[in-house]
Amino acid sequence: MGSLLRPVDLVNQPLGFQERHKILQKLFKQLQKAYAHTKRTNIDLERLATRLEVHVAKNSLSGQSYKFNMSILLRDILKYKGDLSKVKINGRPLKGSKPCLYSNSNTGHITTKSKAMEALKSLILDVKALEKNGYIVEEMQNEVNDDNNAQLYAPCLRCNTNFKKIDIMEKTLCRYHPSKRIYNRDTRSHQYPCCGETTNSVSFLRLGCKTFLHHVFRGESYNELCRISKFSSTEHIDGVENVLSLDCEMAFTSLGYEMIRLTIVDFFTGRTLFDHVIQPIGDIVDLNSDYSGVHEIDRTKCPTYQEALAIFLSENLINKNSILVGHGLENDLNVMRIFHDKVIDTAILYSKSKFKVSLKNLAFEVLSRKIQNGEHDSSQDAIATMDVVKVKIGISPRQTTWKE
């Protein structure tokens, strides 16, 4: 049970992981008691416990209020014999107020391709939304700046040390934390989940629990990205109207941040149309294997970026009529170096105010599916993103055949 039951990561955590994990286990045991005479399986109860806990965590302003709300929930689950419609958190009914799921109650209602296309087109982002969320749009071609002096130095993405880009392949010491720090409201300090160190710590480990022999950087502006390779526009590619879900894995190279794997999945059939490890243009600094899942790139077998581009930018794959589905898709299109304006982005679609929910959390909350428990897999992520959109517009993730 312990290995499967874990709290969902949040932007603002009311309590630390270990405390939330203990309370989640108590909640699971309480649900077992409440539903002992029903046909609900332990897997069902694990999913329910996780959804209830994350709902309380999101609606608690502090660690103290979180503990209080959870104590009420633990009490009322038995008091009302598992009838969640009678349970209230912060004075609000647990059911009927978007408690735990993003899911669409109409799932399975769309069975024709024409209706699906109509629903999908309503989710396409306009140009202003694309620009606001970091997408490179074609109009930016006129903003290229050739000031080379401004590009000589870069802050290391991991340790924030300012270094000379041309020295990136020279060995040095980069000390960093692989996990992003999380703010703890009770201690009023940030904590690193990777090692438990806080920003208030006097230990040497507060500077980083991991080391690497190179600094790394990531260019994000159009000007910086063009220094790796120019962008291609889909507007010049005629082709079939299709809907494609895609995801890239990236690595750090001598030129910055580059694509090393691309997966493209067809929305309507669920078939994988393209899935290749790709040679980056620059020399490899770090494959980022803990996240990318790529451990080796065989330069004698894997296609180059230009060879891959000729395949995935074509009339039967990505063309001017394609609708592209992804999570934080601006990152993928930037490393693919393509301009495209028909985009559905689940990170924006499900965003809450200025915060964007992770695909890992979204897949669990919408699909009850656990992904990214270890290394990332672009195939798994592309399929999860596609299924999240299907649920959003009322399509069963299992549907692969369509009426016209």
Side-chain angles (χ1 to χ4, degrees):
M1 179 190 71
S3 62
L4 295 176
L5 200 62
R6 66 183 303 279
V8 174
D9 296 327
L10 297 173
V11 175
N12 293 305
Q13 307 269 16
L15 281 180
F17 176 86
Q18 293 298 333
E19 290 180 275
R20 285 182 65 200
H21 188 252
K22 288 178 183 177
I23 292 174
L24 180 57
Q25 288 178 314
K26 288 181 183 178
L27 179 58
F28 171 69
K29 290 175 182 177
Q30 203 79 323
L31 289 170
Q32 282 183 314
K33 293 177 185 176
Y35 295 105
H37 303 295
T38 69
K39 293 182 179 180
R40 294 204 180 199
T41 65
N42 280 345
I43 293 176
D44 291 333
L45 296 179
E46 282 182 354
R47 290 171 177 169
L48 179 58
T50 306
R51 293 170 192 158
L52 292 172
E53 190 276 337
V54 77
H55 174 66
V56 173
K58 286 178 178 178
N59 289 278
S60 299
L61 298 176
S62 66
Q64 186 176 357
S65 66
Y66 168 81
K67 288 180 179 178
F68 175 77
N69 289 333
M70 285 303 301
S71 68
I72 297 297
L73 178 59
L74 289 167
R75 181 199 70 190
D76 288 354
I77 281 173
L78 287 187
K79 179 181 177 180
Y80 297 117
K81 299 178 181 179
D83 186 353
L84 299 180
S85 65
K86 295 180 180 179
V87 179
K88 293 183 178 180
I89 297 296
N90 289 333
R92 294 182 177 183
L94 195 60
K95 284 201 169 182
S97 59
K98 295 184 180 178
C100 310
L101 290 176
Y102 293 107
S103 60
N104 188 318
S105 59
N106 295 322
T107 299
H109 285 194
I110 293 180
T111 56
T112 66
K113 215 176 236 190
S114 58
K115 285 287 185 183
M117 286 299 295
E118 185 180 326
L120 287 165
K121 287 176 180 177
S122 72
L123 301 180
I124 292 175
L125 298 168
D126 60 30
V127 175
K128 286 186 179 179
L130 293 176
E131 290 180 338
K132 181 182 176 182
N133 287 278
Y135 281 82
I136 302 294
V137 296
E138 200 159 358
E139 289 75 11
M140 291 181 180
Q141 290 182 97
N142 301 321
E143 301 174 11
V144 177
N145 181 357
D146 292 325
D147 183 9
N148 290 320
N149 293 327
Q151 305 298 327
L152 290 177
Y153 291 86
C156 176
L157 200 61
R158 289 170 169 170
C159 70
N160 209 36
T161 299
N162 216 35
F163 71 100
K164 210 169 185 177
K165 289 183 185 178
I166 60 172
D167 295 335
I168 193 169
M169 300 306 291
E170 294 183 13
K171 290 184 178 180
T172 185
L173 180 63
C174 176
R175 182 177 292 277
Y176 66 100
H177 291 284
S179 299
K180 291 182 180 179
R181 64 186 189 179
I182 297 172
Y183 184 69
N184 186 312
R185 294 177 184 175
D186 291 335
T187 63
R188 295 184 179 180
S189 67
H190 288 88
Q191 185 175 34
Y192 295 98
C194 46
C195 60
E197 284 293 321
T198 68
T199 48
N200 294 339
S201 171
V202 295
S203 165
F204 184 66
L205 279 178
R206 78 183 187 282
L207 300 175
C209 58
K210 194 169 183 179
T211 60
F212 193 65
L213 293 177
H214 299 273
H215 292 309
V216 296
F217 75 97
R218 174 181 179 174
E220 295 185 346
S221 70
Y222 177 66
N223 190 34
E224 291 174 303
L225 293 170
C226 282
R227 293 178 187 278
I228 300 177
S229 62
K230 68 176 185 178
F231 276 65
S232 301
S233 175
T234 58
E235 279 302 306
H236 309 298
I237 311 293
D238 287 318
V240 296
E241 185 177 56
N242 55 19
V243 184
L244 306 172
S245 183
L246 62 86
D247 187 78
C248 295
E249 301 298 347
M250 295 81 146
F252 294 106
T253 76
S254 58
L255 298 177
Y257 203 49
E258 294 192 61
M259 172 175 62
I260 55 170
R261 182 183 173 188
L262 169 64
T263 302
I264 301 174
V265 179
D266 181 76
F267 185 89
F268 290 105
T269 65
R271 288 194 306 115
T272 299
L273 306 178
F274 183 98
D275 188 14
H276 289 283
V277 171
I278 297 166
Q279 296 182 46
I281 296 171
D283 295 326
I284 295 167
V285 175
D286 185 4
L287 285 176
N288 215 20
S289 300
D290 289 347
Y291 295 96
S292 70
V294 178
H295 292 264
E296 181 183 9
I297 296 180
D298 188 338
R299 296 228 181 232
T300 65
K301 295 179 180 177
C302 296
T304 65
Y305 166 75
Q306 290 297 337
E307 289 169 342
L309 180 68
I311 299 171
F312 67 72
L313 204 60
S314 59
E315 62 177 359
N316 291 317
L317 283 177
I318 301 174
N319 63 76
K320 69 178 183 181
N321 298 310
S322 300
I323 297 176
L324 300 184
V325 176
H327 188 87
L329 195 55
E330 76 278 8
N331 298 309
D332 303 281
L333 297 187
N334 286 353
V335 294
M336 291 168 72
R337 305 289 187 274
I338 62 173
F339 296 120
H340 191 73
D341 60 2
K342 295 181 181 67
V343 167
I344 298 173
D345 191 331
T346 51
I348 301 170
L349 199 59
Y350 287 91
S351 65
K352 294 190 172 181
S353 64
K354 63 180 179 179
F355 298 113
K356 292 180 180 178
V357 64
S358 70
L359 179 59
K360 180 177 182 177
N361 291 355
L362 199 55
F364 190 87
E365 294 193 35
V366 176
L367 308 169
S368 298
R369 185 181 304 170
K370 294 181 180 181
I371 65 171
Q372 300 177 359
N373 289 324
E375 298 172 354
H376 289 203
D377 182 330
S378 57
S379 177
Q380 183 185 62
D381 290 356
I383 292 169
T385 308
M386 173 182 72
D387 289 346
V388 162
V389 172
K390 285 182 177 179
V391 171
K392 179 72 175 178
I393 62 176
I395 297 173
S396 168
R398 295 181 295 276
Q399 185 170 332
T400 56
T401 57
W402 302 82
K403 299 173 185 175
E404 289 303 324

